[in-house]
Amino acid sequence: MAPGSFAEYTVVPARAAAPVASVKPEYVTVPVSGTTAYISLKELGGLSEGKTVLVTAAAGGTGQFAVQLAKKAKCHVIGTCSSGKKSAFLKSIGCDRPINYNAEHVGTVLKQEYPEGVDVVYESVGGAMFDLAVDALATKGRLIVIGFVSGYQTPTGLAPVRAGTLPAKLLKKSASVQGFFLNHYRSEYQAAVEHLLQMCADGDLVCEVDLGDLSAEGRFIGLESVFRAVDYMYMGKNTGKIVVELPHSVNSKL
Ligand SMILES: NC(=O)c1ccc[n+]([C@@H]2O[C@H](COP(=O)([O-])OP(=O)(O)OC[C@H]3O[C@@H](n4cnc5c(N)ncnc54)[C@H](OP(=O)(O)O)[C@@H]3O)[C@@H](O)[C@H]2O)c1
């Protein structure tokens, strides 16, 4: 989380660090991805038993947590992803209805199987996916804008959405769209980290990591492989949080 984190070593204030039971990549999923899902759904989701929750990029770093936390709140969870392998992963973490958008049209599935709409959307893809999610909102539905990864590689960084019709669509459903940015929720952060680390240590939460073993040049090791890892993410190849291993470059005992 601290500036300069793409480094083998960095010095951070004690308050920016959290103790972990052991050193394993799974814990890396917590500080950004886990807390984003945990705090946003807690503060903005209004989750309760029986609600329908749609998670986009559900098999990714943060999506996996949104799926599991919504299931723990006894919601019905739909998750979008790009492959059969990711669909299988989503099933394994409790997702009720994975949608592989390369095999099925998300809008059609939502219309046919969820005619009443979805109550909460955890949306991190943007563009056309955002538009489909807005159209799928139930009356008084809430869409939480977590990100818009489909636009990050464009010159503006934004994927276009049908913004012109948005006010009318929201009014007709008394629905809402709200942004969430982790940095604005510092007061909730420490408790979220502690809770998630405990769940992770207790085996109560799947913290899936992708170390790059299936990527063209193999496991992501060393700072120089950060570029490969980011490309792999934009190709939609990762399942879970991408982790780049930084081997000890000096003898830590010295
Ligand atoms: N608001 C906050 O405070 C906050 C904090 C952390 C992260 N985020 C956001 O959360 C989102 C997920 O981040 P993450 O680190 O956990 O990544 P991630 O979900 O592990 O990886 C991104 C996933 O998005 C999909 N994707 C990638 N490139 C795409 C493209 N060009 N068009 C459409 N889909 C694409 C892929 O999933 P499929 O192949 O399954 O489509 C990919 O696996 C990002 O939007 C990020 O900015 C927000």
Side-chain angles (χ1 to χ4, degrees):
M1 287 290 280
S5 292
F6 275 149
E8 279 102 350
Y9 295 91
T10 188
V11 177
V12 299
R15 67 173 185 283
V20 289
S22 61
V23 179
K24 52 177 189 171
E26 282 73 12
Y27 289 126
V28 177
T29 63
V30 167
V32 177
S33 307
T35 54
T36 296
Y38 184 98
I39 301 172
S40 64
L41 289 176
K42 184 161 170 273
E43 296 299 312
L44 311 176
L47 301 186
S48 60
E49 186 167 356
K51 286 205 170 170
T52 303
V53 178
L54 169 66
V55 180
T56 61
T62 188
Q64 63 173 329
F65 292 107
V67 168
Q68 293 177 79
L69 294 169
K71 279 312 292 177
K72 285 182 191 300
K74 298 189 165 59
C75 296
H76 178 95
V77 182
I78 309 158
T80 68
C81 65
S82 61
S83 71
K85 176 179 168 262
K86 292 190 191 195
S87 281
F89 167 67
L90 286 175
K91 274 234 149 87
S92 78
I93 59 169
C95 180
D96 298 287
R97 180 57 165 103
I99 307 174
N100 167 8
Y101 59 76
N102 283 320
E104 296 181 281
H105 185 264
V106 176
T108 307
V109 171
L110 293 173
K111 263 194 204 107
Q112 285 176 352
E113 298 180 24
Y114 302 92
E116 300 296 315
V118 297
D119 300 302
V120 180
V121 186
Y122 183 90
E123 212 296 284
S124 61
V125 172
M129 189 67 89
F130 173 89
D131 288 331
L132 287 176
V134 167
D135 291 344
L137 280 170
T139 301
K140 296 189 182 170
R142 304 165 180 215
L143 187 153
I144 310 169
V145 177
I146 296 295
F148 25 88
V149 66
S150 62
Y152 294 168
Q153 290 180 299
T154 67
T156 59
L158 282 163
V161 297
R162 292 198 303 262
T165 51
L166 188 60
K169 286 179 180 173
L170 296 179
L171 183 148
K172 277 185 203 160
K173 293 175 180 170
S174 293
S176 65
V177 172
Q178 184 166 355
F180 173 86
F181 187 40
L182 184 59
N183 290 14
H184 297 148
Y185 289 82
R186 285 178 200 272
S187 56
E188 318 292 324
Y189 186 73
Q190 203 56 38
V193 169
E194 282 167 21
H195 194 172
L196 288 164
L197 286 176
Q198 194 58 53
M199 288 165 91
C200 188
D202 292 347
D204 201 18
L205 197 63
V206 174
C207 302
E208 186 72 14
V209 291
D210 193 326
L211 305 172
D213 291 309
L214 300 178
S215 72
E217 293 169 58
R219 191 173 275 220
F220 306 127
I221 299 175
L223 280 179
E224 57 281 5
S225 67
V226 167
F227 303 97
R228 268 202 307 125
V230 172
D231 284 346
Y232 188 73
M233 189 270 292
Y234 281 125
M235 286 188 287
K237 300 279 190 205
N238 64 301
T239 301
K241 173 87 173 176
I242 295 184
V243 174
V244 175
E245 184 185 339
L246 300 181
H248 288 291
S249 57
V250 294
N251 186 339
S252 59
K253 287 190 186 130
L254 291 179

